[in-house]
Amino acid sequence: MTASTETLHLQHADHQAHADAHGWRRWLYATNHKDIGTLYLWFSFSMFMLGGTMALGIRAELFQPGLQFWHPEFFNQLTTLHGIIMVFGAIMPAFTGLANWMLPLMLGAPDMAFARMNNWSFWLLPPAAALLVISLFVPGGAPAGGWTLYPPLSIQAGMGMDLAIFAIHLLGLSSIMGSINIVTTVLNMRAPGMTLLKMPMFAWTSLVTAYLLIAVAPVLAGAVTMLLTDRHFGTHFFKAAGGGDPVLFQHIFWFFGHPEVYIMALPAFGIVSQILPTFARKPLFGYVSMVYAVCSIAILSFMVWAHHMFAVGLPATAQLFFMFMTMLIAVPTGVKVFNWIATMWQGEMTFETPMLFAIGFVCLFTVGGFSGLVLSIAPIDIQMTDTYYVVAHFHYVLVAGALFSLFGATYYWLPKWTGQMYNEKLGKLHFWWSMIWFNVTFFPMHFLGLAGMPRRIPDYPLQFTDFNSVASVGAFCFGLGQLLFLYNVINTIRGGAGRAPARPWEGAHTLEWEVASPAPHHTWEMPPDEALVKKGLRAQLLDQDHE
Amino acid sequence: MNAVAHGANRRTAIRLGLVALAMFSFGYVLAPFYDVLCRAIGLDRARPEFATAIPTALRLEFDTNVADGLPVTIETLDRVVAAKAGGLVKARFRIANTGDQPLTIRAIPSFAPVRAAGLLQKLECFCFDALKLAPHETRDVTVVLLVAKALPEELGAATLSYTLQPA
Ligand code: HEM
Ligand SMILES: [Cu+2]
């Protein structure tokens, strides 16, 4: 019976597709969640390439001590833009893109709740990226005080800073609209029979992430607006000369900034929680505890921001408070890691590329979590802050964490997106290549940090040379390997390793696998019937009541 | 999509939009809010008495600890005190025996930084003698310090710490 509804459904979809715009109009006026998702993902990948090129510029300079390639000012612009572009241009839009593509499919909704707003959310991104790039060419150059935009440097900087501020306004607006869309879709448009506690984990993490964004993106917008008015309109929020306080900026920034790091981590948790059960052929272990862990991480993330500020002269009481709260976050994070491992435990595992990236994620994200715990100890952090140890920490959670999960997600859903299978050999090569060179690049940075090498410097004392050279070689190899990924994706679009069935992974039981591959332009215009939803839930052991 | 669902979506979106607006304002409120919060919980470094270029005041912070397993609590009633050059400083603590047995304890004092040594003279301290506490007794104790007439320029703050041990 389900089969017949599906055929009907597909015919209907085909019929609709003809009414849609073609050529550039299809993309500029895009309101279809799949088209918008695709736009987001390509935008994110091009930002990844741009930010990656800047990273290679940084690593080239750091290959040897002394100044070889760049003036120190330009080096600082590179580190700053690299950070801003990777965070706001590459990682965040990629997750929003995935949410756009997959949430309606996974929840059984015909589209996102607000299709036109969705178009705006995306099309604000390219102008923002353009502003950032243009800032390189204005007098004074791009902002150079670090992605965290601390005053007084950000107040004294040239007009490139203003462009960056506007870019952040646009990016923030885009995030807020995207998030409103996600929350509304998840809350109001689920298929009958799919209650909140039966949703796929990726829907849960997207929902919580969207809430976080709605709460903190406006705070960042406020902070940069205050910077702007301090720069041009005579306010003194952060200007010590007028009675303001530069440290206040840090408080406001990190009130945004720490939840932000979880905005980049939670969707990755969701993706991994989809992939691991599929390839372990076992339901996700501890589904409800996963949900609670995600929610408690989100709530706690508002109470730890000053762990980025242990060295600014906080009173001991405040240091202790933030130290303990930060350590507390490790508890729900540990619950998640435990559940992932338990999901794999005695599973019938196979190691296709998405699974490799998911397992790589679990291993390396945990390493990043541990270095985070080290940094959360205030007396230790005072030694380590602003050293390469911090750089090592956040690249373990962001590259091996967020980025690896995105690679995993791409390989996992590529058959659904394109209707073709990717080249498994190349995929595995991409994984092992990335895994090895990632560690070659970033593991030595722990040692550099422990030995006292400060971050954001273009030149360094001789004793740091060896580890820096190793890291630079690693970075260039890692970067090169990403072309393999690009090739594999394009190759898949062009036919790849042959046609993909509707359900290319036999262990996958969420709703997106019930529609054809490639997913037709319009899906679930009629919500999936309850029997179909139930069937999937039963396979995931989610059919019992949890409440 | 039918009209009912459409209305529900609109309502959700409007509510979320309002949250976003509220959070934008909240960012601005944070500026005065941090001040108020720090003053309220005594975490305030920027109090007027410390905000002078000539070091006429030393910031004294009091820290307390209890040895493992000792059923005693100690609370610092004046956590941060401005010590004026040449003045007297009095800090109060509240010690409570939470156990059912009478106890004899002693406070072991310590301080940091070392340079503060010559600047503070203890006239009276609950750490001078052992303390006998009846079961469930609560007692307020004090430390009185005489501050040196001249304070060095670079020493902004000193911490005095007391650890309660069984006597
Ligand atoms: C167990 C969990 C974690 C703990 C305990 C933790 C702790 C910390 C601490 C204490 C710092 C401040 C280091 C310093 O600047 O001196 C820090 C920095 C950072 N963390 Fe984490 N962290 C954790 C997880 C994460 C995750 C999941 C992400 C992102 C996905 C992340 C991203 C960052 C970033 C980007 C910075 C550096 C910000 C900057 O100064 O530019 N952390 N972390
Ligand atoms: Cu943080």
Side-chain angles (χ1 to χ4, degrees):
Chain A
M1 183 221 133
T2 44
S4 69
T5 37
E6 196 178 303
T7 5
L8 264 179
H9 176 76
L10 292 185
Q11 280 166 1
H12 185 49
D14 247 351
H15 164 74
Q16 275 273 326
H18 292 293
D20 289 311
H22 287 286
W24 58 271
R25 279 196 184 79
R26 168 172 174 195
W27 303 107
L28 187 63
Y29 302 144
T31 50
N32 178 287
H33 72 102
K34 302 185 184 79
D35 286 350
I36 292 178
T38 305
L39 285 170
Y40 264 107
L41 291 171
W42 278 112
F43 172 81
S44 146
F45 188 78
S46 40
M47 288 297 109
F48 174 60
M49 286 285 138
L50 180 63
T53 312
M54 291 174 169
L56 295 186
I58 295 169
R59 282 322 315 173
E61 182 59 62
L62 293 175
F63 182 61
Q64 296 280 288
L67 294 178
Q68 284 88 26
F69 297 100
W70 320 119
H71 289 290
E73 303 81 55
F74 183 69
F75 179 91
N76 288 341
Q77 296 174 25
L78 282 181
T79 54
T80 305
L81 279 188
H82 163 73
I84 297 179
I85 286 176
M86 285 304 201
V87 168
F88 295 103
I91 303 285
M92 291 172 63
F95 285 132
T96 319
L98 282 180
N100 263 299
W101 237 110
M102 300 319 299
L103 287 184
L105 284 179
M106 298 173 103
L107 298 173
D111 203 311
M112 296 295 280
F114 305 103
R116 255 179 283 254
M117 184 161 84
N118 215 1
N119 176 287
W120 270 100
S121 313
F122 174 75
W123 281 107
L124 287 178
L125 295 177
L131 284 175
L132 289 176
V133 173
I134 292 170
S135 78
L136 277 167
F137 303 101
V138 299
W147 79 280
T148 51
L149 306 176
Y150 282 2
L153 288 181
S154 54
I155 293 183
Q156 296 155 358
M159 69 177 288
M161 190 67 211
D162 298 317
L163 297 182
I165 289 175
F166 291 135
I168 288 176
H169 278 140
L170 292 180
L171 294 164
L173 205 58
S174 157
S175 295
I176 293 169
M177 295 198 300
S179 303
I180 290 180
N181 226 331
I182 290 174
V183 173
T184 311
T185 308
V186 174
L187 289 188
N188 297 354
M189 298 175 65
R190 297 185 313 275
M194 187 178 288
T195 57
L196 280 176
L197 274 179
K198 297 189 195 311
M199 294 196 300
M201 273 313 289
F202 181 65
W204 258 110
T205 57
S206 295
L207 174 70
V208 175
T209 303
Y211 269 124
L212 280 180
L213 264 173
I214 292 171
V216 299
V219 175
L220 174 67
V224 295
T225 310
M226 287 182 233
L227 271 186
L228 190 74
T229 57
D230 268 14
R231 287 165 57 82
H232 298 295
F233 304 108
T235 58
H236 297 97
F237 288 104
F238 313 126
K239 257 191 194 157
D245 183 359
V247 174
L248 174 66
F249 177 86
Q250 298 189 24
H251 278 295
I252 302 178
F253 181 88
W254 288 115
F255 184 87
F256 148 82
H258 189 83
E260 167 68 18
V261 309
Y262 280 99
I263 285 164
M264 296 185 281
L266 294 183
F269 294 174
I271 290 166
V272 169
S273 306
Q274 300 301 133
I275 294 178
L276 289 179
T278 295
F279 296 96
R281 291 163 183 79
K282 265 180 67 195
L284 183 66
F285 185 89
Y287 174 90
V288 181
S289 68
M290 285 300 221
V291 172
Y292 281 115
V294 168
C295 297
S296 39
I297 289 175
I299 291 165
L300 283 173
S301 76
F302 284 103
M303 292 182 254
V304 299
W305 75 88
H307 65 215
H308 297 274
M309 304 168 57
F310 282 140
V312 302
L314 297 177
T317 324
Q319 293 193 358
L320 285 176
F321 173 80
F322 286 110
M323 168 169 147
F324 291 132
M325 290 310 280
T326 304
M327 290 175 169
L328 209 57
I329 289 205
V331 176
T333 312
V335 168
K336 303 200 71 89
V337 174
F338 177 87
N339 285 347
W340 288 324
I341 294 173
T343 302
M344 289 186 277
W345 184 256
Q346 298 194 328
E348 290 172 50
M349 286 204 282
T350 52
F351 299 93
E352 287 87 343
T353 311
M355 183 64 162
L356 289 177
F357 273 106
I359 296 176
F361 170 96
V362 174
C363 298
L364 296 185
F365 184 87
T366 307
V367 174
F370 280 133
S371 56
L373 271 178
V374 172
L375 290 171
S376 71
I377 305 166
I380 292 182
D381 183 72
I382 288 170
Q383 313 287 315
M384 310 277 245
T385 189
D386 275 335
T387 69
Y388 260 83
Y389 193 88
V390 176
V391 178
H393 158 65
F394 66 72
H395 284 91
Y396 266 80
V397 280
L398 286 175
V399 177
L403 185 65
F404 272 25
S405 83
L406 285 165
F407 287 143
T410 307
Y411 288 110
Y412 186 56
W413 282 311
L414 207 51
K416 185 55 61 191
W417 298 339
T418 63
Q420 256 88 238
M421 288 309 281
Y422 60 87
N423 181 325
E424 192 66 63
K425 270 215 188 76
L426 275 185
K428 285 185 172 155
L429 179 64
H430 175 221
F431 169 75
W432 286 110
W433 185 270
S434 299
M435 184 77 179
I436 290 169
W437 295 113
F438 166 82
N439 282 296
V440 172
T441 309
F442 292 105
F443 206 78
M445 293 188 187
H446 290 110
F447 304 134
L448 286 171
L450 288 169
M453 178 172 161
R455 63 194 278 205
R456 297 171 176 154
I457 52 167
D459 184 10
Y460 49 81
L462 279 180
Q463 72 268 27
F464 299 134
T465 308
D466 293 347
F467 282 134
N468 270 297
S469 306
V470 171
S472 288
V473 170
F476 274 87
C477 293
F478 182 87
L480 207 65
Q482 305 321 311
L483 297 178
L484 211 62
F485 173 67
L486 178 64
Y487 171 79
N488 206 351
V489 170
I490 291 177
N491 183 256
T492 311
I493 295 170
R494 298 231 171 111
R499 291 202 63 80
R503 187 196 310 276
W505 320 117
E506 92 266 10
H509 301 290
T510 36
L511 278 178
E512 76 268 33
W513 308 108
E514 302 293 342
V515 305
S517 295
H521 207 54
H522 296 275
T523 38
W524 300 138
E525 298 197 291
M526 298 300 287
D529 64 34
E530 223 168 320
L532 187 65
V533 176
K534 281 263 157 62
K535 190 183 77 161
L537 293 177
R538 211 170 307 123
Q540 301 172 66
L541 292 190
L542 285 179
D543 52 334
Q544 270 95 33
D545 271 342
H546 297 290
E547 286 88 74
Chain B
M1 212 184 316
N2 62 42
V4 181
H6 210 72
N9 285 354
R10 261 180 81 100
R11 271 195 305 282
T12 311
I14 289 170
R15 250 180 250 140
L16 295 171
L18 287 178
V19 173
L21 271 182
M23 289 310 289
F24 184 76
S25 333
F26 179 71
Y28 277 82
V29 175
L30 279 179
F33 178 70
Y34 279 124
D35 271 356
V36 174
L37 187 74
C38 290
R39 212 158 290 154
I41 55 181
L43 290 180
D44 181 18
R45 288 216 162 211
R47 274 196 230 168
E49 55 269 43
F50 303 118
T52 132
I54 317 144
T56 55
L58 178 66
R59 177 190 165 88
L60 284 185
E61 302 177 340
F62 293 95
D63 170 55
T64 54
N65 303 285
V66 179
D68 274 354
L70 197 62
V72 174
T73 60
I74 175 164
E75 184 188 347
T76 315
L77 300 177
D78 311 284
R79 230 173 292 189
V80 179
V81 177
K84 294 257 162 32
L88 271 185
V89 168
K90 184 171 165 188
R92 297 165 301 148
F93 303 83
R94 181 161 296 160
I95 300 179
N97 177 359
T98 55
D100 299 325
Q101 304 295 325
L103 271 178
T104 310
I105 56 169
R106 177 180 278 287
I108 313 294
S110 134
F111 65 92
V114 185
R115 282 171 301 153
L119 303 174
L120 300 167
Q121 202 184 339
K122 267 187 192 145
L123 299 184
E124 186 198 318
C125 181
F126 67 102
C127 55
F128 289 168
D129 303 299
L131 297 168
K132 281 196 170 57
L133 295 172
H136 298 289
E137 181 187 349
T138 301
R139 191 185 305 172
D140 285 359
V141 295
T142 54
V143 175
V144 180
L145 300 156
L146 181 62
V147 187
K149 291 224 168 56
L151 294 173
E153 229 173 83
E154 82 286 14
L155 190 73
T159 306
L160 300 181
S161 168
Y162 299 91
T163 305
L164 301 184
Q165 302 271 8

